[in-house]
Amino acid sequence: MLYLNKRKVHLLKRGKLIILQRKILPGKARYSSMQSKIMQAKLFLLFGFLCLTGPVHSQNLTASWEETFNEGVLLLAEGSYQKALEQFEQVLVAFPSHALTHYYIGKTYTALGDYEKALAVYKEALRLDSSLVEAYPDMGICLYQMGRYQEALKIFTLAEQLRVPDQATVLFYSGLASYQIGNYVDCKRFMERCREVDPDFEFVCRYYEGLTDAYLGRYSSARRELTSLLTVHQQPVREAAADSLKILETGGKPFRFSFEFGLEYDDNVILQPEAEPLPSEVSNQGDWRLVTQASFLYRKEFRMSELTISSSLYHCFHSQLSSYDLTGSSSSLVISSNSNTFQPTLEYKYDYYSVGSEKYLDRHSISTSATIPSGYSFKSQFFLSIETTCFFQPSLVPADSRDSTAYLYGVKFSMPFSGDGFFSFGAAYKLNNAEGANWDYHSPQTWLQLTMPLGHSRNTLSLSGTFEHLDFDHVNSLFGSVRDDNRLTLKSSIVFRLNKNWNLSIGHTYIHNNSTLHAYEYERNISSIFASCMF
């Protein structure tokens, strides 16, 4: 056993100090020099008492080597990391399979900021003694400091399942890792649980809960939480809360304006504002077009819900095919829940398009969805929408009228990874009931999307694919046979974040519609470059 007098044990136990990682919206984590010292020194004291009062794993040390080991532990607690490392290495010369010494060498490397070596040593300690479960939280912390947040979350999840000592630290770092990958709902849940387990984490957890509210758009809740921290006795928490509140004053306003403009080259210009085109609306010609879009958004948070109102104007100018110039407007009203466990949403949307001075179509839609966060990092969303579309130009043949009511329902799963990245996939089923029998169809569809950061920058790459099968219900009155379409849409884009307000994006879209009726077959390639700003 290890022999430490009661005073030293008491000091180690009292050494458990909350590690505050100052994360100020919207940047990544950064530390002051004082905070770095606090984190390095207290990280080991946090687990020191628990490990020192437990059994010695693997090989047993002789009395003389126990003194050397104990001296190394005390040097580590005092911040003399190199001297502590020397003591532990002396022990390993005599007892190379002593798992606890490997474990404390890992802690020493962590203090020195050499997380790669620390991680390797922790793994060796577990290889020598699999019951040394205290190593799992330390491994997770190393992975977190190395920016490997998803891997850290997996280790912390395992540590929680194994019920390792100091569950509060496991929950706290699980929240930090969730925060880094943009899973703010899970971050808040972990922080709330951490406070319940250990009140010593009260203020720092509330700080991160305030930040997650801000990222989720719950600005009034974020202000209340952060304002309440301005009077706490922990200076780092007070300063971090004050800095975040300053940013909220400028970045957390309920109004948002954005403007986007750019060039597109379309090798097969189609008059298709999210509707099935007639053969006459497919030009089979390529052209450049200038696209502009201006948007306005207003968000208001209430006690249990949130109201979002948005509106946008769209226009495209073709270089040669001016008869395909399209002007559109869109307005929506969304009511969503602030719940952390079940997030229902109700949305009404109205779209209107015109071609030149002629009205083209309008569309009303009502949709509802429910997002259910899981105990892991992925989310499930179930949705249902009903939309009615009216085309202002009358059809020459009654059976070819495209005025319709459509029903769409499905499910979507999303999983964050690697900072701002995420992977999502889903499936849906659409039933289109049109006035003209030629446009009655049902359509199963599925899609995949991958968004990932490029290196350590804030630039992102996005790839997506959608497949739709359109199974028409009746014989087409114009062609005398049943129509069946398969449509594949592939998209790729890179977004360069120039600064806080401006983005530059480059993208490409490929669409292939294969139909049993030759008149409805087409291929389309759209290349684009856009600049956008938000203020």
Side-chain angles (χ1 to χ4, degrees):
M1 295 294 293
L2 304 175
Y3 299 98
L4 292 172
N5 64 44
K6 291 183 178 180
R7 186 182 70 82
K8 290 180 180 178
V9 170
H10 181 65
L11 289 173
L12 284 174
K13 188 174 182 179
R14 287 179 58 82
K16 182 173 136 180
L17 187 68
I18 294 171
I19 303 163
L20 173 65
Q21 188 186 51
R22 290 183 63 183
K23 176 124 182 182
I24 309 301
L25 289 173
K28 291 295 182 184
R30 52 182 183 263
Y31 297 84
S32 66
S33 59
M34 180 180 296
Q35 287 170 324
S36 297
K37 293 177 181 177
I38 290 174
M39 188 192 73
Q40 289 177 350
K42 302 305 179 181
L43 180 59
F44 318 104
L45 300 181
L46 193 61
F47 298 101
F49 173 74
L50 296 167
C51 295
L52 289 173
T53 55
V56 176
H57 301 263
S58 295
Q59 289 180 307
N60 292 321
L61 300 178
T62 61
S64 61
W65 287 110
E66 279 184 359
E67 292 180 7
T68 305
F69 178 86
N70 290 348
E71 182 64 26
V73 172
L74 290 176
L75 287 168
L76 176 61
E78 293 169 359
S80 300
Y81 306 132
Q82 288 292 350
K83 291 182 180 180
L85 188 60
E86 292 173 4
Q87 296 294 105
F88 294 136
E89 287 175 344
Q90 288 180 35
V91 175
L92 277 191
V93 171
F95 298 89
S97 299
H98 189 246
L100 200 58
T101 301
H102 282 279
Y103 172 62
Y104 271 91
I105 288 177
K107 283 184 172 294
T108 309
Y109 279 129
T110 306
L112 294 169
D114 195 338
Y115 303 114
E116 288 279 4
K117 283 186 179 180
L119 189 61
V121 176
Y122 289 137
K123 290 179 179 178
E124 177 65 13
L126 282 168
R127 187 190 69 80
L128 293 169
D129 189 343
S130 59
S131 67
L132 190 61
V133 295
E134 295 91 342
Y136 286 110
D138 293 277
M139 289 174 62
I141 291 171
C142 285
L143 289 167
Y144 176 85
Q145 297 296 345
M146 293 162 65
R148 294 156 64 176
Y149 306 121
Q150 287 287 358
E151 296 176 64
L153 265 178
K154 291 179 181 178
I155 295 294
F156 289 130
T157 300
L158 177 59
E160 186 178 0
Q161 293 169 349
L162 293 173
R163 299 187 180 278
V164 301
D166 203 358
Q167 282 288 299
T169 298
V170 172
L171 293 169
F172 179 66
Y173 269 94
S174 296
L176 288 182
S178 299
Y179 184 80
Q180 293 284 13
I181 64 177
N183 197 340
Y184 304 118
V185 173
D186 279 358
C187 173
K188 187 165 185 176
R189 178 172 59 84
F190 282 122
M191 294 300 176
E192 289 172 345
R193 291 176 58 198
C194 179
R195 288 194 288 117
E196 293 173 1
V197 172
D198 190 342
D200 286 349
F201 283 82
E202 172 77 18
F203 300 128
V204 68
C205 287
R206 283 173 49 196
Y207 169 72
Y208 277 97
E209 290 171 40
L211 293 190
T212 58
D213 281 337
Y215 269 109
L216 292 169
R218 303 165 186 166
Y219 299 115
S220 58
S221 293
R223 288 190 183 92
R224 284 195 301 270
E225 191 69 80
L226 294 172
T227 301
S228 70
L229 297 173
L230 296 178
T231 57
V232 302
H233 65 276
Q234 293 180 359
Q235 182 179 355
V237 177
R238 292 201 312 269
E239 292 176 352
D243 290 343
S244 296
L245 280 169
K246 288 179 183 178
I247 293 175
L248 277 175
E249 290 303 317
T250 57
K253 296 184 183 300
F255 295 97
R256 285 285 185 274
F257 299 92
S258 63
F259 182 71
E260 184 177 42
F261 62 94
L263 285 173
E264 290 183 337
Y265 180 77
D266 190 341
D267 69 357
N268 186 4
V269 176
I270 293 176
L271 191 62
Q272 187 185 11
E274 301 177 10
E276 299 299 322
L278 293 169
S280 59
E281 294 174 338
V282 179
S283 70
N284 292 309
Q285 299 179 61
D287 198 5
W288 289 91
R289 58 173 168 262
L290 174 66
V291 179
T292 62
Q293 181 165 320
S295 301
F296 160 83
L297 181 145
Y298 171 78
R299 180 182 286 116
K300 175 69 175 177
E301 183 183 353
F302 300 95
R303 180 181 176 85
M304 298 296 293
S305 61
E306 185 175 271
L307 172 67
T308 304
I309 300 173
S310 63
S311 181
S312 64
L313 298 174
Y314 167 90
H315 194 86
C316 69
F317 306 86
H318 285 88
S319 173
Q320 299 177 2
L321 304 175
S322 58
S323 60
Y324 287 82
D325 289 353
L326 196 67
T327 301
S329 64
S330 178
S331 302
S332 69
L333 185 150
V334 181
I335 301 174
S336 57
S337 167
N338 283 339
S339 169
N340 292 329
T341 55
F342 179 70
Q343 301 161 357
T345 300
L346 180 65
E347 177 181 11
Y348 168 75
K349 187 178 181 181
Y350 174 72
D351 299 303
Y352 173 84
Y353 290 93
S354 62
V355 180
S357 60
E358 299 291 329
K359 297 179 180 179
Y360 181 59
L361 68 80
D362 70 359
R363 179 185 295 113
H364 300 264
S365 66
I366 297 177
S367 60
T368 181
S369 66
T371 301
I372 306 174
S374 70
Y376 302 95
S377 58
F378 70 87
K379 296 180 181 180
S380 307
Q381 183 185 59
F382 301 88
F383 57 89
L384 168 68
S385 67
I386 303 172
E387 65 179 33
T388 60
T389 304
C390 175
F391 288 83
F392 292 104
Q393 300 298 325
S395 302
L396 299 177
V397 180
D400 216 31
S401 173
R402 289 182 290 172
D403 294 352
S404 65
T405 299
Y407 306 87
L408 178 71
Y409 58 90
V411 61
K412 175 182 178 181
F413 303 96
S414 59
M415 181 181 303
F417 72 93
S418 184
D420 297 327
F422 71 90
F423 172 72
S424 67
F425 61 96
Y429 187 85
K430 182 178 181 180
L431 179 63
N432 195 70
N433 185 15
E435 288 188 7
N438 289 349
W439 294 95
D440 287 341
Y441 65 85
H442 52 279
S443 171
Q445 48 195 259
T446 184
W447 66 89
L448 298 170
Q449 181 176 356
L450 174 67
T451 299
M452 56 193 301
L454 297 176
H456 298 289
S457 67
R458 297 180 61 214
N459 306 328
T460 56
L461 169 68
S462 181
L463 304 171
S464 66
T466 303
F467 178 77
E468 305 168 74
H469 174 70
L470 285 70
D471 190 357
F472 288 82
D473 300 335
H474 308 288
V475 173
N476 189 288
S477 62
L478 300 177
F479 297 92
S481 61
V482 176
R483 177 183 171 189
D484 230 0
D485 285 17
N486 289 314
R487 180 179 302 143
L488 176 66
T489 304
L490 302 175
K491 295 182 179 181
S492 62
S493 66
I494 299 177
V495 178
F496 301 93
R497 304 189 187 282
L498 305 180
N499 55 38
K500 178 181 177 181
N501 300 105
W502 284 89
N503 292 337
L504 178 70
S505 63
I506 300 173
H508 184 80
T509 300
Y510 170 75
I511 304 172
H512 183 198
N513 195 78
N514 186 28
S515 178
T516 54
L517 301 182
H518 180 71
Y520 293 95
E521 287 189 350
Y522 62 85
E523 277 190 283
R524 194 177 187 189
N525 286 279
I526 306 170
S527 299
S528 62
I529 180 169
F530 279 88
S532 61
C533 65
M534 179 178 290
F535 51 93

